[in-house]
């Protein structure tokens, strides 16, 4: 961890106690109730989770074993129990909630479709039969590459119904990224769409899928194509079939397959500090339990709520809080296809108003982007139905928190700042809105049954308030990742090597204040967080050096008001450094290239062409120095190892 990040500069003293009106109706109405839950978990962690698992999940075969830690760090939960996650999200609601709306979908062009639980159950069952007809069976991998449309959730639940393992690839990822993920997962089937609507344009998903499949992906036998935009796309005879045609022929009954609680529910690829993306593997039972308990504790979900999580299903937030969590809880969700600023920056607030959203969950980057347009836009919509707000993905700066609180929440909605990761499956550190006072910028305290700590280099807990260290989780929890798909070694090395198999290493640095509140300070590894999306610096560097003109590249992040972190790339060309003017065209070429290789979110915000990069004697790029320079801070590091001091002005972008 770099030393500069250890001392925090943020001193936020404001405290917002839960509002009496909110607490009065909340599931966890006060600190005493919360403390008794936490105490139960402290006294008997397994007993606590066993009680929760019995209360929340409908089991086909009850479990006897709670936590199996015979083979750490491969912890297993409820491993002799059997369930089906799609049954828990759909069938069990049919008796009382068949006609309750499950999904309110709004497309970017303005089209609105709703699905009751009964209708969703029908569509999922039918589509599960489509999957079976294509030869998909238990344990097969299915890659889902769709826009934010209800069919994405239908496809996920259909996989869960038959025990196929889905891996959703964000629609904003390129053909190249899609191919890497398909190949790593050795997926049998790809589900995609002709395209999706985003920012007034069409995202060419089928075209990208065609490119990915042309270059490899031998494991793919069939491609199911959803018609969304209706524009013409190339279909390959014998391999590709239209979703609507296949579904029309399918039977509407599909019994769920009863699966072991440890059966993998999904893989979700996320960036690591080195090499290719990691396929984070989640299990069925423990994950579902975490999704359900956090819906109740953190989102205080009630039958009459209209719940809108703005995340794409391509990210873990979309898995846990668009699909599995709210549906398992029998809630009504809003799903929106497009961008927050199309056709204008009032779109989110209009959706909240039109559909009567009561719980709204988004990323700090979206809040900062919308805040830029001022208070008048949200003020022109009726947001009075909102009762709870949430954020996720990166630290929220207190200014954005205050704006969210004042302008969107009308000072009456608690804000839950939820810290968690793809690997943790669900919320880990977050306020319980009726019981825990909040502080702008802090994710507050670990949830009941979650043991988090901030430790020093040696793994000892840091007791000095506000001193930063490594954020670790000290005991297993049900929704934890089970491994990295096909790479146990990488699983050990990444998460369980620094402090042994006892402490799960989150990769984040954090500090605790005098009240024990957690404040996340950033990543300790070389992972960037751009607009709430994790990107490995190495992946962007690899993309850059794959360009014929590029010799070497180093990528670092620097703080950005809107995106959280912006991407700055230092590039050495194979030829001579371009002169000013010539570098503009080249910058655009490189940005477009990275966009094609990884996806538009990975495009560097700035590229500086340099003659050499600062390296240590062992040849490692001096990233700390580059970060200092990228931030425009004074250089305190020893620069004597630089090949030539003369490159400093180049690195600083002054020459
Ligand atoms: C859910 C999700 C995980 C990383 C995580 C941390 C950052 C997420 C945060 C937060 C501060 C919060 N992060 N929530 N930082 N406060 N409330 O975003 O998963 O994409 O895997 O990213 O995001 O750095 O380690 P994922």
């Amino acid at each position: 961890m770099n030393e500069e990040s250890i001392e925090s500069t943020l001193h936020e003293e404001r405290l917002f106690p839960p509002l009496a009106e909110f607490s009065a109706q909340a599931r966890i109405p006060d600190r005493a109730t919360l403390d008794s839950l936490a105490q139960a978990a402290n006294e008997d962690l397994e007993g606590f989770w066993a009680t929760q698992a019995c209360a929340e999940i409908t089991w086909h075969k009850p479990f006897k074993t709670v936590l199996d830690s015979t083979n750490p760090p491969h912890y297993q939960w409820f491993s002799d129990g059997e369930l089906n996650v799609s049954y828990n999200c759909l069938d069990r609601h049919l008796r009382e909630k068949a006609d309750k709306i499950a999904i309110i979908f709004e497309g970017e062009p303005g089209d609105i479709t709703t699905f009751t639980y009964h209708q969703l159950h029908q569509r999922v069952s039918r589509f599960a039969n489509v999957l079976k007809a294509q030869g998909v069976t238990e344990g097969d991998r299915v890659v889902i590459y769709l826009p934010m449309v209800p069919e994405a959730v239908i496809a996920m639940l259909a996989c869960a119904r038959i025990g196929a393992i889905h891996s959703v690839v964000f629609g904003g990822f390129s053909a190249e990224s899609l191919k890497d993920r398909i190949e790593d997962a050795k997926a049998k089937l790809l589900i995609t769409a002709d395209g999706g609507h985003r920012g007034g344009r069409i995202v060419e998903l089928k075209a990208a899928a065609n490119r990915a499949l042309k270059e490899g992906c031998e494991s793919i036998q069939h491609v199911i194509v959803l018609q969304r935009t209706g524009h013409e796309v190339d279909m390959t005879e014998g391999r590709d079939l239209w979703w609507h045609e296949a579904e029309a022929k399918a039977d509407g009954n599909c019994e769920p397959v009863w699966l072991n609680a440890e059966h993998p529910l999904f893989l979700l690829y996320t960036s690591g500090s080195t090499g290719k993306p990691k396929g984070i593997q989640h299990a069925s039972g423990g994950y579902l339990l975490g999704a359900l308990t956090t819906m109740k504790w953190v989102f205080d979900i009630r039958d009459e709520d209209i719940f809108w999580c703005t995340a794409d299903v391509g990210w873990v937030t979309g898995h846990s809080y668009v699909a599995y969590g709210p549906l398992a809880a029998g809630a009504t969700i809003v799903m929106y296809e497009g961008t927050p600023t199309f056709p204008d920056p009032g779109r989110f607030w209009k959706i909240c108003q039109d559909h009567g959203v009561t719980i709204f969950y988004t990323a700090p980057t979206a809040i900062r982007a919308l805040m830029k347009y001022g208070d008048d836009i949200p003020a022109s919509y009726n947001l009075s139905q909102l009762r709870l707000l949430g954020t996720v993905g990166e630290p929220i700066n207190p200014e954005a928190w205050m704006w969210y609180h004042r302008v969107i929440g009308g000072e009456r909605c608690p804000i839950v700042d939820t810290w968690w990761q793809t690997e943790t499956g669900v919320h880990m550190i977050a306020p319980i809105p009726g019981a825990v006072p909040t502080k702008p910028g802090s994710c507050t305290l670990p949830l009941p049954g979650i043991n988090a700590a901030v430790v020093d280099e040696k793994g000892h807990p840091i007791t000095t308030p506000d001193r930063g260290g490594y954020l670790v989780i000290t005991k297993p929890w049900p929704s934890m990742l089970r491994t990295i798909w096909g790479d146990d070694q990488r699983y050990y090395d990444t998460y369980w090597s620094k402090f042994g198999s006892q402490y799960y290493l989150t990769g984040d640095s954090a500090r605790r204040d005098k009240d024990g509140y957690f404040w996340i300070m950033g990543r300790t590894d070389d992972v960037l967080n751009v607009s709430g999306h994790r990107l490995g610096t190495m992946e962007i560097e690899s993309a850059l050096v794959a360009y014929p003109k590029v010799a070497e590249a180093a990528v670092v992040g620097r703080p950005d008001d809107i995106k959280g972190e912006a991407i700055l790339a230092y590039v050495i060309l194979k030829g001579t450094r371009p002169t000013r003017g010539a570098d503009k065209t080249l910058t655009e070429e490189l940005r477009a290239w990275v966009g094609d290789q990884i996806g538009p979110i990975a495009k560097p915000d700035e590229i500086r062409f340099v003659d050499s990069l600062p390296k240590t004697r062992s040849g490692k790029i001096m990233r700390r120095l580059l970060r200092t320079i990228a931030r425009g801070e004074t250089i305190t590091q020893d620069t004597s190892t630089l090949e030539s001091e003369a490159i400093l002005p180049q690195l600083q972008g002054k020459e």
Side-chain angles (χ1 to χ4, degrees), residues 270 315-317 361 364 391-396 417-424 429 441 443 506-508 519-523 529 532-534:
T270 186
W315 308 104
V316 74
T317 308
Y361 188 40
T391 74
V392 57
E394 53 187 323
I396 180 164
D417 175 349
T418 60
W419 177 87
W420 58 296
Q421 310 176 293
T422 305
E423 294 86 343
T424 69
I429 309 179
C443 51
T506 65
D508 281 356
W519 298 76
I520 307 298
M521 297 164 77
R523 309 269 320 160
N529 191 328
H533 302 318
R534 270 165 78 176

Side-chain angles (χ1 to χ4, degrees), residues 71-118:
N71 185 24
H74 294 286
Y75 298 98
Q76 303 204 327
W77 287 86
F78 321 115
S79 57
D80 49 6
E82 281 177 16
L83 78 163
N84 180 282
V85 173
S86 107
Y87 179 93
N88 275 271
C89 291
L90 301 168
D91 308 52
R92 67 164 170 169
H93 302 315
L94 295 182
R95 200 148 18 109
E96 282 169 9
K97 295 185 175 175
D99 296 327
K100 177 174 175 171
I101 303 284
I103 301 179
I104 304 170
F105 167 71
E106 183 167 320
E108 196 181 74
D111 50 315
I112 292 169
T113 325
T114 58
F115 296 79
T116 62
Y117 271 94
H118 169 72

Side-chain angles (χ1 to χ4, degrees), residues 146-147 149 151 192-195 224-233 241-245:
L146 286 173
V149 292
E151 284 80 0
T192 187
D194 46 1
I224 300 181
V225 187
L226 175 77
Q227 204 165 44
R228 167 63 189 148
T229 52
H231 72 294
E232 207 166 311
V233 292
L241 60 154
W242 288 105
W243 178 310
H244 58 277
E245 290 178 7

Side-chain angles (χ1 to χ4, degrees), residues 242-284:
W242 288 105
W243 178 310
H244 58 277
E245 290 178 7
E247 198 182 317
K249 287 186 226 141
D251 191 81
N253 288 315
C254 177
E255 284 305 307
V257 175
W258 302 112
L259 300 159
N260 185 276
E262 280 296 311
H263 182 77
L265 178 63
F266 64 82
L267 309 179
L268 186 55
Y269 283 83
T270 186
S271 296
S273 51
T274 51
K276 57 183 182 128
K278 308 175 275 199
I280 303 300
Q281 180 181 324
H282 277 287
S284 303

Side-chain angles (χ1 to χ4, degrees), residues 370-408:
L370 295 173
M371 191 174 129
K372 217 175 57 186
Y373 297 97
D375 302 4
D376 291 350
I377 296 176
S380 65
Y381 295 96
N382 178 358
L383 301 176
S384 64
Q385 296 298 308
L386 287 171
R387 69 179 192 94
L388 179 62
L389 303 173
T391 74
V392 57
E394 53 187 323
I396 180 164
N397 48 311
E399 288 62 38
W401 195 101
M402 288 305 296
W403 186 81
Y404 200 29
H405 169 71
R406 187 173 52 82
V407 180
I408 306 306

